[in-house]
Amino acid sequence: MTRNWVTPVIYTLIALAVFYVGVQLFTNTSSFLSSIVMMIGIAVLIYGAIYFFFLRNRIGSGANRNEMRKYKQAVKQSKQKYKAPKPVKAAKTNAAASKSTSLQKKKSKRKQPSHLRVIEGNKNNKKDRASF
């Protein structure tokens, strides 16, 4: 029942506000524009204060920040793993240079990432089905 009389009142207020803005725009343009700029400035200051004091701490806190740090580290590791190899110069035909590069390749193949672990198990104890 209360909505029946509230709706026309709201429409009337909106119509009067639009009428007032139109009258101010045509009669006193300079003060209208300065008041619009001032309202926009105050709105920006209020939004900035609310963001600085309340929203900024919520967005980067807790689990989100920790997950973002882990994600960035994973991206960095992935880029290191899949980066394009540097072209080898043809001028290096020295035997010592080839030995050092082959040793580096062997070391890099053996090295396992620190976050991965090999779990030893009884993988070779499968029954030989051919002997049945």
Side-chain angles (χ1 to χ4, degrees):
M1 288 284 185
T2 59
R3 284 187 171 232
N4 292 339
W5 67 272
V6 173
T7 306
V9 170
I10 291 178
Y11 285 138
T12 305
L13 286 174
I14 291 173
L16 287 174
V18 170
F19 178 72
Y20 177 73
V21 167
V23 168
Q24 285 293 319
L25 183 61
F26 289 117
T27 59
N28 200 359
T29 307
S30 62
S31 67
F32 173 74
L33 292 177
S34 65
S35 65
I36 291 292
V37 169
M38 182 137 355
M39 282 189 276
I40 291 173
I42 290 171
V44 166
L45 286 175
I46 290 172
Y47 178 75
I50 289 172
Y51 177 79
F52 183 75
F53 290 116
F54 299 110
L55 299 177
R56 181 178 60 129
N57 294 334
R58 261 192 228 168
I59 291 173
S61 67
N64 288 340
R65 185 174 55 197
N66 194 15
E67 288 177 10
M68 186 56 74
R69 190 180 323 140
K70 288 179 182 178
Y71 172 74
K72 286 181 181 179
Q73 185 175 358
V75 167
K76 189 169 138 183
Q77 287 177 352
S78 177
K79 284 183 180 179
Q80 287 176 354
K81 182 178 180 181
Y82 294 112
K83 68 180 179 182
K86 294 180 181 178
V88 179
K89 294 181 180 178
K92 286 188 177 182
T93 56
N94 193 355
S98 65
K99 284 184 181 180
S100 66
T101 57
S102 65
L103 288 176
Q104 287 177 352
K105 287 181 183 178
K106 286 182 182 179
K107 286 182 182 179
S108 65
K109 287 182 181 178
R110 290 181 192 169
K111 186 177 179 182
Q112 294 180 348
S114 61
H115 66 282
L116 298 177
R117 208 170 23 151
V118 175
I119 300 174
E120 304 260 342
N122 296 330
K123 297 177 184 173
N124 294 329
N125 292 342
K126 295 180 181 178
K127 294 182 179 178
D128 189 10
R129 296 185 185 270
S131 63
F132 287 140

